[in-house]
Amino acid sequence: MFMNQTPPTPATSQVFGVVVPGGAVRTDFQPTDQTGTKFALALSGISGSSITAVSDLVFFLLPGVQLPEGHGAVLYWQIVGSTNTEFNLVGAIANHQPSGVFRTGWSTNESLGTAVSSQSVTINLGVSIEPMSNIQNMGAMQNQTIYVAKKNAMDLFN
């Protein structure tokens, strides 16, 4: 009976959640375009030096949410109010992998370090729903923690 109905588009309700370790679950991503494929969330309330101490983010689909077939959600971050306003890739999730723990790289990011030392900083998280082929080309679905561990093991071996 419901087989011919299309699933609700992501813009109709909350779709994603993110957790900064030690913080509350945030699900208040806001649509930023008319197509319902771009979302944003400002991570404010984290003091400057504490931002660089955030090494990981947990990003996930909320229960019962399905992305459009053949698509995933890519998580990006940017520094709000910085002269360097480009988005940086964090990671991606999809229906077959609805959650992930992703390294931020904030502790070693020069632009963030400079911004933190000169002003109060807000991190903007952006989500883009993209075809899986694009996500696979970016390498955004790779488990970066395993990759880092494997590289460390290889260095120890050599």
Side-chain angles (χ1 to χ4, degrees), residues 56-138:
D56 300 292
L57 292 175
V58 179
F59 178 50
F60 55 93
L61 290 173
L62 293 176
V65 170
Q66 288 285 307
L67 295 173
E69 186 68 32
H71 288 72
V74 183
L75 180 66
Y76 299 92
W77 70 274
Q78 78 175 150
I79 306 166
V80 175
S82 171
T83 56
N84 177 8
T85 60
E86 71 182 38
F87 275 93
N88 297 283
L89 177 66
V90 177
I93 56 176
N95 291 334
H96 69 277
Q97 184 179 334
S99 66
V101 178
F102 301 103
R103 292 253 180 243
T104 62
W106 294 347
S107 64
T108 58
N109 185 284
E110 289 181 31
S111 297
L112 184 56
T114 302
V116 165
S117 65
S118 66
Q119 64 187 16
S120 174
V121 175
T122 296
I123 298 290
N124 189 39
L125 296 179
V127 177
S128 177
I129 298 176
E130 300 183 20
M132 288 304 298
S133 58
N134 292 358
I135 294 170
Q136 290 164 346
N137 287 339
M138 288 187 273

